[in-house]
Amino acid sequence: MNIGQASRETGVSIKMIRYYEQTGLIPPVARNQAGYRHYSENDLHRLRFIRRARDLGFSIKHIAILLSLWQNHDRENAQVRDIANQHISGLQNRITEMEAMITTLQKLVDECAGQDRPECPILTDLEH
Amino acid sequence: MNIGQASRETGVSIKMIRYYEQTGLIPPVARNQAGYRHYSENDLHRLRFIRRARDLGFSIKHIAILLSLWQNHDRENAQVRDIANQHISGLQNRITEMEAMITTLQKLVDECAGQDRPECPILTDLEH
DNA sequence: CTTGACCCTCCCATGATGGGAGACCTTATC
DNA sequence: GATAAGGTCTCCCATCATGGGAGGGTCAAG
């Protein structure tokens, strides 16, 4: 199967498939005589794995680790859980930060809307 | 005041101050004969504005608009509110996405921890 | 044999930030 | 006045994941 169809099957863009190969996240795939990449069912499997992990917000570095654990039968499941828990914590921290931003912003917007003064409380806050 | 002290006063790194000038977010500042940048109280004011807006998560593009509204006395406060509301929506959308990721991940981690089978539900999910 | 769809590599761009090299300036100390 | 330390200048490179596009080769159907 050529790269275009592999892309359609897995939901990973052609650009990203080549990028993953180039950066070593996936091993080089087979080529035909013209140099076209050729994807086996196994290759597609790996791409779907990556796609799913990206959808869950894992970084490429974490995905690299997950891929190696995936194919290492000596792994401890706890290692996988560690990666996942680490990722969950990262997400939660970012959410906490963003919620704090929203709280501040919403208060400023409310103040700004609730009055007809010429100066805008949002800008006044930023100025400070 | 030189750039180093301006950086310390405003909390904006030297690198970023120069970058903001280079990309036009702030106008070029005065220079002494040796070419050293020199910052007035007004310049510091602008930098603090930017710093605060960055802390609230505004993109540079949004900050550029906010800066121009800040100095435009004909502006409508509603314009400023629009930018802020737009930003709040963006943050909320990202939070929603991340919360969905956390929900999925947490479920997988719980399943993985609650059993002693050799296969890991997290990897099994990613595989799928 | 032509046409259109596909594929290849290589280069560039994003957004915000930092690192570092090599050169110049300033200030304080001896 | 010399020297050392530290501040500043510009220019280039890297990040992370992703996309755009140029210029050229390939393949299959008509």
Side-chain angles (χ1 to χ4, degrees):
Chain A
M1 177 183 313
N2 284 344
I3 198 170
Q5 196 176 349
S7 171
R8 266 168 261 129
E9 297 265 333
T10 62
V12 182
S13 75
I14 292 178
K15 283 280 185 181
M16 291 316 296
I17 295 177
R18 291 198 276 240
Y19 172 75
Y20 293 152
E21 180 179 333
Q22 187 199 321
T23 55
L25 185 64
I26 57 179
V29 296
R31 305 270 190 144
N32 70 11
Q33 278 182 323
Y36 284 25
R37 288 173 180 81
H38 183 265
Y39 292 85
S40 69
E41 197 48 51
N42 206 3
D43 296 327
L44 296 184
H45 211 185
R46 219 188 320 255
L47 288 174
R48 282 189 209 103
F49 183 102
I50 294 171
R51 171 64 203 268
R52 175 76 172 133
R54 289 295 299 143
D55 284 350
L56 288 174
F58 284 102
S59 70
I60 297 289
K61 279 189 183 159
H62 274 173
I63 294 176
I65 301 173
L66 290 173
L67 277 171
S68 76
L69 291 173
W70 183 35
Q71 289 175 334
N72 172 9
H73 293 284
D74 292 342
R75 66 148 195 278
E76 301 278 346
N77 285 0
Q79 294 177 270
V80 183
R81 279 204 304 278
D82 276 358
I83 305 281
N85 279 324
Q86 221 173 304
H87 181 44
I88 289 174
S89 297
L91 289 170
Q92 278 166 342
N93 289 342
R94 283 162 56 201
I95 287 177
T96 303
E97 282 176 18
M98 288 194 280
E99 279 172 344
M101 291 179 194
I102 289 178
T103 301
T104 303
L105 284 165
Q106 193 62 60
K107 204 174 53 178
L108 292 174
V109 167
D110 290 347
E111 283 171 22
C112 181
Q115 50 122 49
D116 270 337
R117 288 173 295 165
E119 108 270 9
C120 170
I122 299 172
L123 295 179
T124 307
D125 175 275
L126 290 174
E127 247 185 283
H128 166 56
Chain B
M1 178 183 314
N2 284 344
I3 197 170
Q5 196 176 348
S7 171
R8 267 168 259 131
E9 297 266 333
T10 62
V12 181
S13 75
I14 293 178
K15 283 280 186 181
M16 292 315 297
I17 295 177
R18 290 198 276 240
Y19 172 76
Y20 293 152
E21 179 179 333
Q22 188 198 321
T23 55
L25 184 65
I26 58 180
V29 295
R31 306 271 190 141
N32 71 11
Q33 277 181 325
Y36 283 24
R37 288 173 181 81
H38 183 266
Y39 292 85
S40 67
E41 198 48 50
N42 206 3
D43 296 327
L44 296 183
H45 210 186
R46 219 189 319 256
L47 288 173
R48 282 188 210 104
F49 183 102
I50 293 171
R51 170 65 203 270
R52 174 77 174 134
R54 290 294 300 141
D55 285 349
L56 288 174
F58 283 102
S59 71
I60 298 289
K61 279 191 185 160
H62 274 172
I63 294 176
I65 300 173
L66 289 173
L67 276 171
S68 76
L69 291 174
W70 182 36
Q71 289 176 332
N72 171 9
H73 293 284
D74 292 342
R75 66 148 197 277
E76 301 278 346
N77 286 1
Q79 295 177 268
V80 183
R81 281 204 304 276
D82 276 357
I83 305 280
N85 279 323
Q86 222 174 302
H87 182 43
I88 291 174
S89 298
L91 289 170
Q92 277 166 342
N93 290 341
R94 283 161 56 201
I95 288 177
T96 302
E97 282 176 19
M98 288 194 279
E99 279 171 345
M101 291 179 194
I102 290 178
T103 301
T104 303
L105 285 165
Q106 193 60 61
K107 206 175 51 178
L108 293 172
V109 167
D110 291 347
E111 282 170 21
C112 181
Q115 50 122 49
D116 271 336
R117 287 174 295 164
E119 107 272 9
C120 171
I122 299 172
L123 295 179
T124 307
D125 176 273
L126 290 174
E127 248 185 283
H128 165 56

